[in-house]
Amino acid sequence: MNKKILVIKIGSSGISHKENGPLLERMKVVLGDIKFLKEKGWQVVLVTSGAINCAKKILPQEKFEYEALTLQQARASVGQLMLMEAYAQVAKELGLTIAQILVTHEDFKHRTRFINVRNTLQLLLEKNIIPIINENDTVSTKEISVGDNDQLAAMTSEAIDAQTLLLLTESLGLFDRDPNDPKAKFFKEVQFGEELSQISFGKKTSAGRGGMSTKLAAINHLAELGIDVILSTHLGPKPIIRAMEREVGTYFHANPEIKRKSRKSWIASVVKPNSSIEIDEGAAAALAKNSSLLPVGIKKVDGPFKRGDVIAIKFDAKMIAFGICEFDSADLNKIKGMKSKQLETVLDHVYHNVAVHKDNLYLKELSKKTT
Ligand code: GLU
């Protein structure tokens, strides 16, 4: 079955109240909708704001003389706990399992950290767990912060190759001017490449860092990568389900050229030259059945390449697939032909039991048949 990943971002005002901390009722609505979509076959990642907002009552501005950034960071450390406690309570009531991931910009830029974040997300999704992500505000300074959670959600969507990103905000979607103006025109759909320069942005939402222009920048970037974005409201009943069913919100269509191709086809376009491995018949049969590639099936390694590089996979002198490799070529050379259990006896650090994870694999033959 083709796996569909949905990233949902909810802003501070949708999930928290500065006087009363987390809004449990809104969290019930959000996680209830997510539960429904999971039952329909979606894998869902939630990017949530609200930590700073939750702690505003405990750490109010007037009583502290610290620098503004330090106050926000202290609030984030208090509020993040309040936020996750509330999510955990609601998740338990609904029979869902959640996980917390806190990231900074550095984590997406730094190769090894990026791979670790991506792999963790993939594993959580595979195990039916809902990752809940926020920025690690306590260690993010202005220079290294992601910016706002719209950007964080966009980076997450890119990292895990999501189909769709849903941005839940205070607004109903995209208007060509201030929505309070009776002449304002609502966009139900925006086609890829559609000119939007006539739009004048209203004021930023009350809580949180993002505004409409940063949202549109993130949307444009994702559209190029083949990821659809829905901009919709967190208000009202079933806000996520209604947005996914296109009853509400603005639907931004991604580049159809990219979408028509396999979502994984980008892997083939970034393959590292002269980096390949040869696999045996058993491994080739496993790949054809959509399994991951294990070190035991590798016969030969031609490098050098680094962990995280895209390499070519050959069988019987033919290139059959491309994939992101979980090991440096030197390490892979040491463990080729070995069973997963033996890896620890040879390597100091075993990041992964598989050499190429099935989610990071692009099969040449298969793609020809399915496109
Ligand atoms: N990370 C911040 C928080 O949890 C919010 C950032 C944003 O609103 O974009 O409060």
Side-chain angles (χ1 to χ4, degrees), residues 163-336:
Q163 260 68 33
T164 310
L165 165 65
L166 169 59
L167 295 174
L168 290 175
T169 68
E170 284 174 15
S171 72
L172 295 169
L174 184 69
F175 290 83
D176 65 346
R177 66 194 78 181
D178 183 344
N180 296 319
D181 183 333
K183 289 203 201 108
K185 177 186 154 224
F186 177 68
F187 291 84
K188 190 159 172 49
E189 287 185 76
V190 176
Q191 299 306 327
F192 176 66
E194 197 175 322
E195 186 54 60
L196 293 174
S197 56
Q198 75 277 19
I199 291 179
S200 65
F201 301 115
K203 58 180 183 331
K204 206 179 73 54
T205 53
S206 53
R209 293 180 202 135
M212 194 55 91
S213 54
T214 63
K215 283 185 180 56
L216 280 186
I219 291 167
N220 282 339
H221 176 65
L222 293 182
E224 300 279 353
L225 300 171
I227 300 173
D228 291 335
V229 182
I230 309 170
L231 183 65
S232 191
T233 174
H234 58 238
L235 298 169
K238 299 190 177 20
I240 297 173
I241 296 172
R242 286 190 303 135
M244 292 302 284
E245 288 177 352
R246 305 217 199 163
E247 264 180 49
V248 287
T250 303
Y251 199 100
F252 294 83
H253 293 271
N255 187 345
E257 288 301 315
I258 307 266
K259 278 170 66 181
R260 212 173 298 136
K261 287 194 228 154
S262 158
R263 289 282 306 118
K264 290 184 188 169
S265 59
W266 67 270
I267 290 178
S269 65
V270 292
V271 62
K272 191 164 184 272
N274 304 323
S275 303
S276 65
I277 52 177
E278 275 177 46
I279 61 171
D280 64 19
E281 202 176 341
L287 294 196
K289 284 192 204 135
N290 195 28
S291 295
S292 298
L293 176 65
L294 300 175
V296 69
I298 299 173
K299 285 165 52 177
K300 190 165 177 276
V301 177
D302 281 318
F305 52 84
K306 282 202 152 52
R307 177 173 182 239
D309 280 340
V310 175
I311 58 166
I313 300 169
K314 295 180 189 166
F315 169 61
D316 216 8
K318 273 201 298 247
M319 201 100 84
I320 62 159
F322 303 102
I324 303 172
C325 192
E326 297 295 339
F327 295 92
D328 292 349
S329 50
D331 281 352
L332 200 56
N333 219 357
K334 289 185 204 153
I335 59 171
K336 65 175 188 287

